[in-house]
Amino acid sequence: MLLPAFIRHPHGLVAALAACAWAGPGWLTPALRADEVASPSSTRAAMENIIDRLPELLDLGVPGFAPEGALRLYTHPHFGDLLHEDYFRIPVGARYKFSNLVEFNTELSGYFTHGLGDSVGNGLYELRLGVKREASLSADSGWGIGLDFKTPLSRPPADITDGVRHYLPYISGTRMLMRRWRLIGFGTFGADLIAHTRLTPSFTENELHSDSLIVTLGIAREWPRVRVILTTSIADTTLLSGESQQVYAVRPSLVFPVLRRPDTSARATVTFGGRAVWGPDGADYGVTTTVRIDLKYLDRESKPVSPTP
């Protein structure tokens, strides 16, 4: 059975998710006892410290709790392209905390011929824009609502993007599960609404070809020398399209800091990730290695924000 037409429309679905998020702080986390309530400043500082050391979670829409004026620049070059492709991809992104509750993010991806294979030219191939509203609920939990937009640019090599636009509304939540172990849990519920462009679609294996709902759940733990992230997800087209297809995925990752700041957070990380994906095209298993470089800047006049009532 399909969802009502107004929800299947991008604007309607965004509005529905927004309504759930604004009404949702009460069910995103259980009620706190009086002895668990922390001061506004410690609430923001504690959550920011944990997520700041796990910036990979920000890509999933998890609230980051950075203070107003915080700016994060990052890049994650695709060094594997030197072995497997004729081009080299370099995404460059930024996250800016416009206010204590609102964050803007953007990512621009380019490519160039690396000279070890055939010539495929140079240029930009993808743009991503996003906005997120977030708030802390307690000393160790918070929620967010956001919308990301992703579109291909120019006419890059056929296999470098899927050739379609993506509207990605979502709501997210995170909570400290075990403070002593620095173990946190996180989850997102959202949608992937696609729109065709003038480019010929080039979907990857087990990538759904129509609108879908996505649920993601995960846990992450930090040790002094390594971080572990385990993410599970399911994407389903049943409620948003005329077909019924599902993709299930499990992605474990080991994140190693290789350059550190004076506060011991990472300037650069190397991530060894695995994937097990089951979908319409069958089972897909693989491993990836990712290098990420992060630069942080903070407005000295920024101040922490109190939890949302």
Side-chain angles (χ1 to χ4, degrees):
M1 181 178 180
L2 298 182
L3 290 178
F6 86 96
I7 294 184
R8 296 204 308 271
H9 190 278
H11 296 112
L13 186 56
V14 172
L17 288 173
C20 292
W22 282 104
W27 52 262
L28 279 173
T29 59
L32 292 175
R33 301 190 308 267
D35 60 350
E36 293 181 309
V37 178
S39 67
S41 59
S42 63
T43 296
R44 178 61 57 156
M47 294 304 298
E48 180 195 354
N49 180 62
I50 295 171
I51 303 300
D52 178 67
R53 297 173 188 275
L54 296 166
E56 296 81 8
L57 300 186
L58 298 176
D59 299 334
L60 300 176
V62 174
F65 307 108
E68 180 179 348
L71 173 65
R72 180 188 294 269
L73 306 177
Y74 66 89
T75 182
H76 45 96
H78 292 241
F79 290 107
D81 289 346
L82 298 175
L83 300 177
H84 305 294
E85 306 291 350
D86 295 324
Y87 49 76
F88 184 64
R89 290 169 290 172
I90 304 182
V92 177
R95 295 182 178 277
Y96 177 66
K97 204 64 181 295
F98 177 75
S99 71
N100 280 318
L101 298 179
V102 178
E103 177 190 83
F104 294 101
N105 65 82
T106 183
E107 183 175 289
L108 183 64
S109 301
Y111 71 97
F112 62 87
T113 301
H114 53 57
L116 302 178
D118 297 331
S119 176
V120 294
N122 312 292
L124 302 174
Y125 68 87
E126 190 173 81
L127 173 67
R128 184 168 185 145
L129 301 171
V131 60
K132 177 173 60 178
R133 185 188 189 278
E134 59 185 37
S136 53
L137 292 172
S138 68
D140 46 20
S141 63
W143 67 281
I145 175 173
L147 173 65
D148 288 345
F149 168 72
K150 184 170 68 173
T151 183
L153 299 176
S154 65
R155 291 186 176 274
D159 61 343
I160 202 170
T161 75
D162 58 16
V164 298
R165 292 191 179 97
H166 296 263
Y167 299 87
L168 302 157
Y170 63 87
I171 57 176
S172 63
T174 183
R175 181 175 177 83
M176 179 73 77
L177 301 178
M178 299 184 70
R179 299 186 188 183
R180 183 176 180 181
W181 287 8
R182 298 182 66 82
L183 177 68
I184 66 172
F186 57 89
T188 64
F189 169 68
D192 184 359
L193 311 174
I194 67 173
H196 289 275
T197 67
R198 60 184 181 180
L199 299 179
T200 302
S202 179
F203 295 105
T204 58
E205 184 176 3
N206 283 324
E207 182 180 1
L208 296 175
H209 299 187
S210 55
D211 299 343
S212 60
L213 293 175
I214 305 172
V215 176
T216 300
L217 297 173
I219 56 175
R221 185 182 177 188
E222 180 191 17
W223 280 274
R225 299 183 183 277
V226 65
R227 298 103 183 236
V228 177
I229 303 173
L230 176 63
T231 304
T232 62
S233 64
I234 177 174
D236 193 330
T237 63
T238 303
L239 297 178
L240 296 183
S241 66
E243 58 186 31
S244 180
Q245 293 185 328
Q246 297 80 33
V247 173
Y248 306 88
V250 178
R251 293 182 170 88
S253 299
L254 296 175
V255 185
F256 294 90
V258 293
L259 294 175
R260 295 181 182 270
R261 302 184 182 92
D263 63 358
T264 74
S265 61
R267 286 193 178 96
T269 58
V270 176
T271 301
F272 299 97
R275 70 175 183 277
V277 182
W278 301 269
D281 301 322
D284 174 37
Y285 307 97
V287 294
T288 59
T289 302
T290 305
V291 176
R292 181 184 179 110
I293 301 171
D294 276 275
L295 301 175
K296 291 193 310 179
Y297 301 93
L298 180 62
D299 184 351
R300 294 185 178 182
E301 296 182 357
S302 61
K303 298 180 180 179
V305 68
S306 60
T308 300

